[in-house]
Amino acid sequence: MPNYTANTRDMQFVLHEVLKVSETGIPGYEEMDRDFTEAVLDTAAKVASEVLAPLNRVGDAEGCVLENGVVRTPEGFKAAFAAMKDGGWTALDCDPDYGGQGMPYLLNCAVGEMFVSANMAFNMYQGLTHGAYSAIHAHGTEAQKRTYLPKMVSCDWTGTMNLTEPHCGTDLGLLRTKAEPQADGSYRITGQKIFISAGEHDLAENIIHLVLAKAPGGGEGTKGISLFIVPKFLVAEDGSPGARNAVSVGKIEEKMGIHGNATCVLNYDGATGFLLGELHKGMRAMFTMMNEARLGVGLQGYAVAEAAYQNAVAYAKDRLQGRAVTGAENPAGPADPLIVHPDIRRSLMEQKSFLEGARAFTFWGAHLIDRAHRAGDAAAEGLISLLTPVLKGFLTDKGFDTAVLAQQVYGGHGYIEEWGMSQFARDARITMIYEGANGVQALDLVGRKLAQDGGKHVMAFFEMVKAECKAHDDPRMALFTEALKAASKQLQAAGMFFMQNGMKTPNAALAGSYDFMHLMGHVCLGLMWTRMAAAAHAALDAGAADPTFYETKIATGRYYMARQLPACAMHLARIESGAEPVMALAAEQF
């Protein structure tokens, strides 16, 4: 069975030596010294390895079962969910006014990485609740907050997000779910929603659904959409679950992965709902949490791959196959371990250099969200808005690729279920699709985010990269700064191509958007590796007690800059080929 051990040493490095969290001046960060974060991360790591990871295979094999309208989760999930609640892990960064612990979102992300690596399907129950909590916290009335938030913070009640319908996914302007106003101020919600993760289960006494629907007078398209709170059980006067609402499960989807999480069809048959936020402005309310939600999915993409990588390393060190081309390295045995072979090393370096860069990128993004929300920093808000589609799209694409690389290390055994590697690939696959498919993320980046606020955020990003390259006159950093400078120039050239061709030939920009998202992702990881290499050199110069960690970090970063960052040139060449190769065939020629 696959194993997982949280890489808390690397997390501490990113938090304290790269981001230097306790020195940022962000409210709440002053408490995040090494001792405090070590205590939190080490305890979370124990929960991840001892409570959640042993249930990962169980959830995949058993899945969820629909019985008489109720979904039964896999064996062990109830006890594990109770342990998560008792440990306060569901309340880590929530508002203390409603029972939360008020810790930074960044720390919640670090803990979340471990929980996702250990058991992604399980962690989704509380993760989706956090998203619904955030929406009610941002847009609910005081009465709604008092009614729902304390129970959601504790996960006595869980939450969902209901967007998709059978005939519309990304194009929410086509949705048909109706909301009819009632004399008492409530609404009757009628319609069907699909792909609702954690839509029904036996882990909590109530489920609070957030449902997009159209109320009268809203007009066509997304402008007419409102957001409603629709509890599974209506809340009684004393705050307890009361009468069953008119929402039911049509079926559980049979999926490629995340079997331990119930993905449901939900039928609303005149269910009682309550308006959340302003009438006809549901999309605004829903998108309040999109930066956090999409960063969370990007985190899922690399966190699942982290678990896959750890097992691939263990297998490569243990499995005997062939002899090293330079001479036997295990002369007493019948063969050498896989890890002696250069192509296996290439695969593992691809995985390791991506994963450590992705962790730093995600933690930096979470820090920007904290800076925006806790310190009111508009520049941080603009920058994370720009980077969000890159975090989601690039990290999940590469995360899935990394999980497949880890599976490949096993050869034929990777394809056999008893080894558990296929689950990582199957679970990681959904991250490229939900919370906005990655093609949509690329369109959002190129079509909206680059031009946002007159393009000042992308220009600020370029200036940040430029400043980073100039900040290091240490010759040991030359490989990093020169490679990052070249990649940044390629990203700017791609942006210039869009400016020169986008207006007259819109398809030229849209045909290159996916490559642009990946090009920018590589530049972001190049920026992270430059910062990490500088921090590692500084630690070595200061006589670090564990020099091997820092030497390994630098060597891994050199691999990324030498072997992965050159992909930027390929993406630029594709972008500059324009729309013609993409649009050359008529529809009937496919």
Side-chain angles (χ1 to χ4, degrees):
M1 184 174 79
N3 295 308
Y4 168 69
T5 302
N7 193 346
T8 56
R9 176 66 184 90
D10 197 52
M11 292 180 183
Q12 288 284 75
F13 169 71
V14 175
L15 291 174
H16 297 288
E17 297 175 68
V18 180
L19 295 176
K20 298 181 179 178
V21 290
S22 59
E23 304 172 24
T24 61
I26 298 172
Y29 272 44
E30 66 277 359
E31 299 176 1
M32 291 217 299
D33 59 30
R34 280 183 178 271
D35 290 342
F36 177 74
T37 57
E38 181 179 20
V40 173
L41 296 180
D42 285 354
T43 306
K46 189 174 181 180
V47 173
S49 62
E50 297 181 4
V51 178
L52 302 186
L55 295 176
N56 199 38
R57 291 291 305 279
V58 175
D60 188 55
E62 290 187 14
C64 296
V65 179
L66 178 62
E67 296 177 345
N68 300 319
V70 177
V71 170
R72 309 296 178 191
T73 52
E75 184 177 356
F77 272 43
K78 273 189 177 181
F81 202 68
M84 295 291 284
K85 291 163 56 179
D86 292 345
W89 298 109
T90 65
L92 205 62
D93 69 329
C94 295
D95 190 337
D97 288 345
Y98 304 102
Q101 298 177 42
M103 295 186 191
Y105 175 67
L106 170 57
L107 192 60
N108 188 61
C109 280
V111 169
E113 179 194 317
M114 297 185 240
F115 292 167
V116 171
S117 292
N119 195 325
M120 175 178 163
F122 176 92
N123 193 65
M124 289 171 65
Y125 290 102
Q126 69 194 57
L128 288 156
T129 303
H130 191 283
Y133 153 87
S134 296
I136 296 173
H137 189 271
H139 298 282
T141 64
E142 285 305 312
Q144 288 173 336
K145 293 177 185 179
R146 289 195 304 270
T147 299
Y148 300 107
L149 294 188
K151 294 286 191 179
M152 296 176 75
V153 167
S154 66
C155 271
D156 289 333
W157 299 354
T158 59
T160 71
M161 312 300 295
N162 285 233
L163 290 77
T164 307
E165 299 183 6
H167 57 282
C168 68
T170 302
D171 191 354
L172 291 172
L174 299 176
L175 69 79
R176 297 171 184 161
T177 300
K178 299 296 182 185
E180 301 174 44
Q182 305 298 296
D184 63 357
S186 68
Y187 288 78
R188 284 175 56 85
I189 310 299
T190 303
Q192 185 179 77
K193 297 290 183 175
I194 65 170
F195 304 156
I196 309 306
S197 299
E200 171 62 39
H201 55 80
D202 57 0
L203 302 179
E205 62 182 10
N206 204 356
I207 302 174
I208 310 305
H209 303 293
L210 298 192
V211 183
L212 287 179
K214 287 190 174 181
E220 297 299 317
T222 58
K223 293 180 180 178
I225 294 175
S226 301
L227 185 60
F228 298 90
I229 298 172
V230 188
K232 173 183 174 180
F233 292 99
L234 297 171
V235 181
E237 287 292 329
D238 63 358
S240 65
R244 178 68 188 257
N245 209 350
V247 52
S248 60
V249 182
K251 68 171 182 176
I252 301 177
E253 302 288 0
E254 295 187 21
K255 310 185 298 290
M256 177 178 176
I258 54 168
H259 295 155
N261 194 274
T263 303
C264 300
V265 173
L266 293 182
N267 296 317
Y268 293 87
D269 300 308
T272 299
F274 307 94
L275 182 67
L276 178 60
E278 296 182 61
L279 190 64
H280 308 316
K281 293 184 179 178
M283 294 302 293
R284 179 185 300 178
M286 185 65 78
F287 275 93
T288 295
M289 70 205 107
M290 281 302 179
N291 285 348
E292 288 186 25
R294 288 175 172 169
L295 183 145
V297 176
L299 181 150
Q300 287 181 328
Y302 84 80
V304 173
E306 166 70 25
Y309 162 74
Q310 290 187 14
N311 286 278
V313 170
Y315 187 83
K317 290 179 178 179
D318 183 67
R319 175 75 166 174
L320 301 181
Q321 291 282 282
R323 290 293 187 190
V325 69
T326 53
E329 296 195 20
N330 178 36
D336 290 331
L338 278 172
I339 203 164
V340 307
H341 303 299
D343 191 59
I344 294 294
R345 291 290 186 94
R346 173 201 59 79
S347 174
L348 294 176
M349 287 296 282
E350 288 279 305
Q351 296 169 56
K352 181 176 174 64
S353 64
F354 163 72
L355 290 166
E356 293 179 15
R359 176 178 296 118
F361 185 23
T362 302
F363 283 19
W364 179 48
H367 146 266
L368 289 173
I369 289 176
D370 278 333
R371 182 175 290 281
H373 292 177
R374 289 173 170 257
D377 189 327
E381 182 73 51
L383 185 56
I384 190 58
S385 180
L386 170 72
L387 295 175
T388 293
V390 184
L391 282 157
K392 196 280 182 186
F394 180 71
L395 295 189
T396 59
D397 276 353
K398 297 293 287 184
F400 174 72
D401 289 347
T402 300
V404 172
L405 281 173
Q407 183 186 29
Q408 185 76 9
V409 170
Y410 282 68
H413 291 295
Y415 201 68
I416 303 300
E417 288 295 336
E418 70 179 270
W419 288 87
M421 294 305 289
S422 80
Q423 183 186 351
F424 295 126
R426 289 185 286 104
D427 285 356
R429 185 65 183 87
I430 186 58
T431 64
M432 302 162 70
I433 299 171
Y434 64 13
E435 206 62 57
N438 286 356
V440 175
Q441 301 300 323
L443 295 178
D444 178 46
L445 175 63
V446 171
R448 294 179 60 245
K449 298 300 176 62
L450 292 184
Q452 194 172 36
D453 295 328
K456 74 176 184 179
H457 304 304
V458 72
M459 295 307 298
F461 175 76
F462 287 137
E463 286 301 313
M464 180 184 298
V465 174
K466 183 178 179 181
E468 190 70 37
C469 292
K470 288 184 175 181
H472 308 290
D473 56 5
D474 184 339
R476 297 174 299 179
M477 288 294 296
L479 181 145
F480 291 88
T481 56
E482 290 303 314
L484 179 59
K485 187 187 302 182
S488 180
K489 287 181 178 179
Q490 289 161 340
L491 182 63
Q492 292 177 64
M496 185 62 66
F497 177 83
F498 291 154
M499 287 181 61
Q500 294 172 344
N501 297 275
M503 290 298 290
K504 60 184 178 182
T505 314
N507 280 343
L510 301 184
S513 61
Y514 212 93
D515 281 284
F516 188 88
M517 180 178 73
H518 274 250
L519 203 170
M520 191 165 184
H522 279 298
V523 172
C524 288
L525 262 63
L527 176 63
M528 295 301 102
W529 272 115
T530 301
R531 291 176 175 175
M532 288 191 286
H537 280 301
L540 288 171
D541 292 344
D546 52 346
T548 300
F549 172 85
Y550 297 103
E551 292 163 357
T552 302
K553 181 66 68 173
I554 293 166
T556 306
R558 289 174 68 89
Y559 179 92
Y560 193 90
M561 306 308 273
R563 297 286 300 244
Q564 296 217 50
L565 205 57
C568 292
M570 174 193 71
H571 290 301
L572 175 60
R574 288 175 172 175
I575 290 166
E576 291 182 336
S577 73
E580 196 281 329
V582 174
M583 306 300 291
L585 299 184
E588 59 271 15
Q589 290 179 282
F590 284 94

